[in-house]
Amino acid sequence: MANRLRSRAKDEDSFAAFNDAQDHVLMAARTHMDRIVLEAFVEGIEACEDGEVRDVLERLCTLYALTSIEADSGWFQAHNRMSAARAKAVTAQINTLCGELRPHALGLVEGMGVPEAWLGSAMLSQDPARWTPGTTPA
């Protein structure tokens, strides 16, 4: 990206060159913030002494990283950084992790301080069996 900006700035106005590379600039900014969050997450996991909690946090961290990648998979594919098959594999792994984390959902929500009143969403109240661990949705 830096090379692209430098080469274009020689031939045109710097502001126009920056605007022409805006998709790359925004991706670099989002990626930088994702990296900062991920590094802080990993530090928190390393400080965790409870093995079971650490395992759940590691899966949650992986879920965070993969959802960040999935959110930008179209950009990665458009720039030949990810194949369609790899994008599908990322989505499949996200679904697997969600299933693994499902039994821990209430503990995670409680740990994040989500007010109990917010847990009464229509989605949960319309078919409680669908969201109860160990039950099969209709």
Side-chain angles (χ1 to χ4, degrees), residues 17-98:
F18 184 82
N19 280 339
D20 288 344
Q22 194 171 55
D23 61 328
H24 291 275
V25 172
L26 291 173
M27 177 57 76
R30 277 196 310 271
T31 302
H32 176 70
M33 289 310 302
D34 285 341
R35 182 183 60 83
I36 297 295
V37 171
L38 195 57
E39 287 174 354
F41 206 150
V42 169
E43 279 183 34
I45 292 169
E46 289 172 353
C48 181
E49 296 177 6
D50 183 320
E52 185 178 338
V53 171
R54 185 182 178 120
D55 180 56
V56 171
L57 290 176
E58 285 173 351
R59 285 186 276 164
L60 193 62
C61 185
T62 301
L63 181 62
Y64 169 76
L66 289 175
T67 55
S68 295
I69 292 168
E70 183 187 45
D72 292 319
S73 66
W75 189 94
F76 291 130
Q77 289 177 62
H79 292 86
N80 297 319
R81 301 289 185 235
M82 176 187 279
S83 68
R86 181 69 61 141
K88 288 178 184 178
V90 168
T91 300
Q93 185 61 35
I94 287 170
N95 291 338
T96 298
L97 283 167
C98 286

